[in-house]
Amino acid sequence: MKILEKLIAHNLLKVKAVKLQPANPFTWASGWKSPIYCDNRKTLSYPAIRNLIKIELARVILEKFEHVDAIAGVATGAIAQGALAADELNLPFVYVRAMPKDHGLENLIEGDLKPGSKVVVIEDLISTGGSSLKAIEAIRNGGCDVIGMVAIFTYGLEIAEKRFKDAKVNLISLCNYDAVLEEAGRIGYIQEEEIKTLQDWRVDPANWTPQSK
């Protein structure tokens, strides 16, 4: 996986799906200050990278999870990647909303998912793990067995790792924070002195503050 992690990291940085700004941090929706921002939807605009991610998602599913009946994507970021992987595997696809629709059938899961199905969930990004696990809970509540989740990228936050462990979910990610930092340093995207700042953020992201100049 190390070679794959490096390859994905290189491509995420190349198309600015991942941005690193230690000196000028982003503000997440949660209010956290962060020196990194990730938007994997950007990869959909680049056919070669899109196909790489599709093929690797499908490969990991085939290698790590047996007897998969369906693929589910977490809305909205993983809908496209999930559908692409499901198409590659010739499997049914559904996606899970963050909350039920407020009209019509008020669906939480869009598509036909038969009770008893063994499902692999696709996620584009793992931060704290909260939204991902809500999607897994919705699928389990529908009478299905979530046999694993495959993500494109994870920050590797301790809170997420604990949540997935507690929920008994086998999470595999194509790329991770450490791989991005290593590749960013190798190509000169960030300087060596900035790496410590980026590493410090992950230790306590909720309380991290950028260093004053």
Side-chain angles (χ1 to χ4, degrees):
M1 286 290 287
K2 289 295 183 183
I3 295 174
L4 174 62
E5 290 169 2
K6 180 179 178 180
L7 179 60
I8 298 294
H10 181 82
N11 281 290
L12 294 181
L13 289 165
K14 178 181 177 182
V15 301
K16 298 181 180 179
V18 169
K19 294 182 179 181
L20 301 171
Q21 295 181 183
N24 185 27
F26 304 94
T27 301
W28 286 3
S30 62
W32 289 5
K33 295 291 183 182
S34 171
I36 181 171
Y37 185 78
C38 181
D39 181 5
N40 288 322
R41 285 168 291 199
K42 277 183 172 281
T43 62
L44 296 169
S45 299
Y46 300 87
I49 301 174
R50 183 180 68 217
N51 287 331
L52 170 66
I53 290 173
K54 174 189 71 174
I55 290 167
E56 291 303 327
L57 288 171
R59 181 187 62 79
V60 168
I61 291 168
L62 285 174
E63 289 183 0
K64 303 296 184 180
F65 304 106
E66 294 184 356
H67 312 301
V68 183
D69 297 314
I71 303 298
V74 181
T76 59
I79 292 176
Q81 282 93 348
L84 287 166
D87 189 61
E88 182 74 10
L89 295 166
N90 195 31
L91 287 172
F93 175 74
V94 302
Y95 70 86
V96 187
R97 294 176 172 272
M99 57 185 63
K101 286 195 299 186
D102 59 2
H103 61 279
L105 298 176
E106 300 182 350
N107 292 334
L108 184 59
I109 298 175
E110 296 288 0
D112 290 327
L113 189 57
K114 297 178 180 178
S117 296
K118 294 183 182 296
V119 182
V120 171
V121 183
I122 302 295
E123 182 62 284
D124 70 320
L125 170 67
I126 305 292
S127 53
T128 63
S131 58
S132 304
L133 289 169
K134 282 183 181 178
I136 288 170
E137 182 182 14
I139 295 169
R140 286 174 169 171
N141 288 342
C144 295
D145 179 15
V146 175
I147 59 176
M149 172 175 276
V150 184
I152 298 172
F153 180 79
T154 178
Y155 292 111
L157 300 181
E158 185 177 338
I159 184 175
E161 292 178 356
K162 184 179 185 304
R163 283 176 169 174
F164 279 98
K165 183 178 179 180
D166 290 346
K168 295 181 172 59
V169 176
N170 183 8
L171 171 65
I172 299 172
S173 185
L174 301 185
C175 188
N176 56 63
Y177 193 68
D178 290 332
V180 163
L181 294 194
E182 184 177 341
E183 182 63 12
R186 187 189 71 82
I187 65 177
Y189 185 109
I190 54 174
Q191 302 305 310
E192 186 174 344
E193 60 269 20
E194 293 177 304
I195 292 177
K196 185 179 186 305
T197 299
L198 288 156
Q199 291 172 334
D200 288 345
W201 168 80
R202 191 170 57 179
V203 174
D204 188 10
N207 298 303
W208 179 84
T209 54
Q211 294 180 349
S212 57
K213 296 181 181 179

